[in-house]
Amino acid sequence: MNIKSKKSLGQNFLIDRAVLDIIVSACDVTNKEILEVGPGTGNLTNYILKKKPNKIYVVEKDDELALLLKDKFGNEIEVINNDILNVEENKISEQKLTVFGNLPYNISTEILSKWIINIGKKFWFDSLLLMFQKEVADRIIAESNSSKYGRLSILSNWKLNVKKIIDIKPQSFSPRPKIDSSLLLFTPKKNFFELKDAQNLEKITRVFFSQRRKMLKKPFNQIFMNAKDVAQKFNINLNLRPQNLEPEIYFKLTKEYEDLRG
């Protein structure tokens, strides 16, 4: 069965054996339950199977590929033929999942944000090993005071430790994308800042970073009636810019916003 990649689904199949090896060695797979997102033709799935997991769930939106995977692997995997954005990931298994994802680049940040927001009190995964466009990965791991730092860095940093594993060149894929990719490993933090609703952190960071070149005075006035008092409470200079504040400050400001709204 000869499958052509579909541009509309952002498909680029990973074919580099050395890279596939690095991916399956980056976290523990043996005896684990695995969720693979965007398995394509099953190249990585093959490598995961060799590591003897307990079970593999694969989420594949493309009907043709879902059939191909069922054909190729039979009972060795469970194929979920659906869009990952419509899948309730925390209901896939009772066990914590180890997640592998060669995510479609056009929706990769949407998937990551959805997963982080849906974590709740209890993590449904023990690690996420995800591939992004390098430029997006750089934004995820960016630190404050840098131009790439923003909403994605703050949201990712809230409940997760993030580590870059490897940068991957276009020739590792078929068809070749025009850009470099990066593989990131996300693991749960033991302690993280408690907020009532993750959507509020999204909202606060959206207001701040929608005008990242402007001084903090403007977003502060948009969010808080008593902007000066809040700034004083957290010792924030309102002449700074959004990228100058550490993630921790954004978590505190979100909690303040929640408390003031009762």
Side-chain angles (χ1 to χ4, degrees):
M1 195 171 176
N2 191 15
I3 299 270
K4 276 206 158 99
S5 78
K6 294 188 177 71
K7 215 173 182 178
S8 62
L9 296 178
Q11 289 173 348
N12 297 94
F13 305 135
L14 188 58
I15 53 170
D16 187 324
R17 290 175 180 185
V19 172
L20 288 161
D21 241 342
I22 289 167
I23 294 173
V24 289
S25 307
C27 59
D28 205 12
V29 173
T30 311
N31 297 328
K32 294 285 192 68
E33 291 207 0
I34 309 296
L35 171 65
E36 190 189 354
V37 180
T41 52
N43 295 349
L44 180 61
T45 320
N46 251 326
Y47 276 71
I48 296 170
L49 279 166
K50 286 179 196 161
K51 294 270 182 179
K52 304 273 187 287
N54 265 350
K55 177 149 191 163
I56 302 183
Y57 302 90
V58 303
V59 176
E60 180 51 67
K61 181 181 179 179
D62 186 320
D63 299 343
E64 271 187 89
L65 283 173
L67 279 173
L68 170 91
L69 293 161
K70 280 176 188 164
D71 253 12
K72 192 169 176 179
F73 297 106
N75 296 332
E76 290 189 288
I77 66 172
E78 186 174 317
V79 179
I80 302 165
N81 183 196
N82 201 344
D83 183 332
I84 186 60
L85 289 170
N86 299 330
V87 173
E88 291 187 74
E89 59 285 328
N90 39 12
K91 291 188 178 165
I92 291 173
S93 171
E94 297 286 304
Q95 303 296 317
K96 279 191 180 172
L97 295 165
T98 300
V99 183
F100 290 86
N102 179 9
L103 305 179
Y105 288 157
N106 49 351
I107 55 166
S108 62
T109 56
E110 204 182 332
I111 295 168
L112 180 64
S113 302
K114 173 190 177 235
W115 285 351
I116 293 171
I117 285 163
N118 286 354
I119 287 169
K121 292 262 186 278
K122 198 165 145 271
F123 286 90
W124 57 272
F125 57 86
D126 55 28
S127 53
L128 304 172
L129 198 61
L130 307 176
M131 197 161 342
F132 297 91
Q133 215 169 311
K134 183 178 184 297
E135 176 202 334
V136 173
D138 289 345
R139 278 167 41 212
I140 291 169
I141 57 178
E143 296 188 353
S144 55
N145 295 312
S146 72
S147 62
K148 292 195 166 74
Y149 174 76
R151 295 176 56 207
L152 212 47
S153 338
I154 295 160
L155 195 60
S156 304
N157 213 282
W158 174 33
K159 292 184 174 181
L160 302 168
N161 298 306
V162 192
K163 178 182 160 193
K164 186 196 276 200
I165 303 294
I166 186 181
D167 288 329
I168 303 165
K169 290 285 173 209
Q171 53 267 33
S172 295
F173 298 89
S174 172
R176 291 184 181 194
K178 291 188 170 71
I179 36 92
D180 286 5
S181 306
S182 298
L183 183 70
L184 301 182
L185 175 65
F186 301 80
T187 50
K189 283 185 172 176
K190 286 202 167 53
N191 301 307
F192 55 82
F193 201 98
E194 291 282 350
L195 295 171
K196 280 183 200 138
D197 185 351
Q199 303 278 1
N200 289 324
L201 179 59
E202 259 227 317
K203 181 182 176 173
I204 297 288
T205 51
R206 189 181 299 120
V207 172
F208 274 92
F209 285 93
S210 62
Q211 300 172 318
R212 56 181 305 133
R213 308 229 180 304
K214 296 261 170 36
M215 286 192 243
L216 291 170
K217 211 174 287 174
K218 194 170 182 197
F220 257 85
N221 285 326
Q222 260 177 279
I223 296 164
F224 300 108
M225 303 278 283
N226 54 339
K228 270 197 174 139
D229 300 341
V230 175
Q232 263 177 334
K233 179 176 178 178
F234 297 108
N235 199 13
I236 294 167
N237 173 358
L238 290 179
N239 295 324
L240 292 173
R241 288 179 170 70
Q243 70 191 49
N244 302 127
L245 301 184
E246 299 279 331
E248 190 73 15
I249 297 288
Y250 283 105
F251 308 149
K252 286 177 178 171
L253 289 173
T254 305
K255 186 173 187 316
E256 186 71 12
Y257 170 77
E258 290 182 335
D259 291 348
L260 290 170
R261 291 178 75 208

